Amino acid sequence: MPIVGTGTNTYGKENNEYNGSVTNEIPELLSALELGYRSIDAAIMYRNEELVGRVLAESTVPREELFITTKVPADEEYTSSKEATRAAIDNSLKNFQTDYLDLLLIHFPIEDKVQFKNTWEVFEEYYEAGKLKAIGVSNFGKEYLDELKKFAKVKPAVNQIQINLKESNKDLLALLKEEGITPVAWGPMKAEAHQKEVLDEIGEAYKKSGAQVLLKYQIQRGVVVIPKSHNRENQASNLDLIDFALSDEDMKKIESL
């Protein structure tokens, strides 16, 4: 999984139906692909899977270079039975015009324990069949991770959670490291004004922006990031993270924020 990807939850909101011309559909995604993004984070709840799928299919990027993530909602419509979950996965495969997904997540915890178990068993079924290359969860705390342990034959590969300077999720991050589950940060750019000032100051020494410093901080901690931007310049900036490394001192300074 690429350590930097792009979210899509606000992509294509004005284009709920595909109109036949990829150049007019989700220009932000086209821009991201052109710049080098290969990890695309989607979800059934975003109601744009088909649109995203068509853009990906018509782009010049080969399928094997893409890392497509999507998520099944915890709603009754998708988790009330194994058949409902299978239908959801099959529809996502159809929407993305592919015979496999790189990563499928349960979007939020499923409170009903029977439905939770049934849903994960379907995930494992599709994983064993090769239709899902990896399976995981999203927005899961310790309680639901512990519940999952009781019946899971396949450990979740990732837990996608909010990780930023406003919501550090420090204890949960430590647990994920202990369990060998990769943390993926949604909303990684959120920070208060006074925090941004410190990030900007740190960035001056590296000739980088505060936003780049914040993303690098997460990456150096082993956190996968999926920043999203509708601006091509910012998209490029969010990828430009390879040519510098934060010092231990700066890492501690950011952690103190």
Side-chain angles (χ1 to χ4, degrees):
M1 184 179 190
I3 195 113
V4 180
T6 180
T8 62
N9 64 315
T10 57
Y11 282 6
K13 291 302 183 184
E14 297 178 357
N15 300 298
N16 292 323
E17 295 184 3
Y18 182 66
N19 299 316
S21 174
V22 72
T23 57
N24 295 323
E25 305 301 326
I26 316 190
E28 305 96 331
L29 180 53
L30 287 170
S31 172
L33 292 171
E34 290 167 0
L35 289 167
Y37 286 86
R38 293 295 179 264
S39 179
I40 312 300
D41 182 83
I44 293 173
M45 282 178 60
Y46 303 163
R47 301 188 182 281
N48 60 6
E49 272 191 347
E50 183 178 7
L51 187 55
V52 170
R54 287 179 184 259
V55 174
L56 294 177
E58 293 189 28
S59 75
T60 59
V61 180
R63 172 65 184 93
E64 59 270 19
E65 291 185 16
L66 293 169
F67 191 98
I68 301 174
T69 300
T70 195
K71 312 176 194 75
V72 172
D75 302 349
E76 282 279 328
E77 179 182 354
Y78 305 97
T79 64
S80 60
S81 67
K82 288 190 173 183
E83 291 74 18
T85 304
R86 291 189 187 106
I89 298 173
D90 289 342
N91 192 57
S92 289
L93 290 166
K94 179 182 176 182
N95 286 339
F96 287 109
Q97 301 184 42
T98 184
D99 57 4
Y100 72 94
L101 294 167
D102 298 278
L103 177 63
L104 184 68
L105 308 177
I106 300 177
H107 206 151
F108 287 94
I110 300 171
E111 294 185 5
D112 185 286
K113 292 184 178 181
V114 174
Q115 291 181 5
F116 185 13
K117 183 174 184 290
N118 286 342
T119 299
W120 191 254
E121 286 178 348
V122 173
F123 274 40
E124 292 179 330
E125 173 189 320
Y126 277 69
Y127 172 78
E128 295 295 342
K131 293 183 178 181
L132 303 175
K133 299 301 181 183
I135 54 179
V137 296
S138 179
N139 301 300
F140 273 46
K142 184 179 186 302
E143 174 188 354
Y144 286 96
L145 290 172
D146 286 345
E147 181 65 26
L148 183 58
K149 275 185 182 181
K150 295 177 182 179
F151 54 79
K153 296 178 182 178
V154 179
K155 181 173 69 175
V158 310
N159 186 12
Q160 185 182 123
I161 56 176
Q162 180 175 192
I163 307 172
N164 49 56
L165 293 189
K166 295 179 73 174
E167 180 54 69
S168 66
N169 256 320
K170 189 176 296 185
D171 291 341
L172 185 52
L173 271 176
L175 174 65
L176 295 178
K177 183 176 182 180
E178 182 180 321
E179 297 287 348
I181 299 172
T182 299
V184 177
W186 64 259
M189 312 293 278
K190 292 181 180 180
E192 302 287 1
H194 72 280
Q195 295 169 327
K196 291 179 180 179
E197 289 179 6
V198 177
L199 294 171
D200 288 337
E201 290 172 3
I202 293 173
E204 289 177 5
Y206 301 94
K207 296 183 179 179
K208 296 292 181 180
S209 69
Q212 289 172 308
V213 167
L214 182 51
L215 290 175
K216 190 68 174 186
Y217 166 72
Q218 300 295 6
I219 289 171
Q220 286 187 203
R221 297 197 302 162
V223 177
V224 176
V225 292
I226 45 173
K228 177 199 64 202
S229 176
H230 293 259
N231 178 282
R232 185 180 177 90
E233 183 178 335
N234 289 339
Q235 288 176 337
S237 176
N238 291 342
L239 275 182
D240 186 21
L241 305 170
I242 299 173
D243 60 349
F244 78 109
L246 296 169
S247 68
D248 291 342
E249 181 182 353
D250 285 334
M251 288 290 289
K252 291 176 182 177
K253 188 180 293 185
I254 298 168
E255 184 178 1
S256 72
L257 297 176

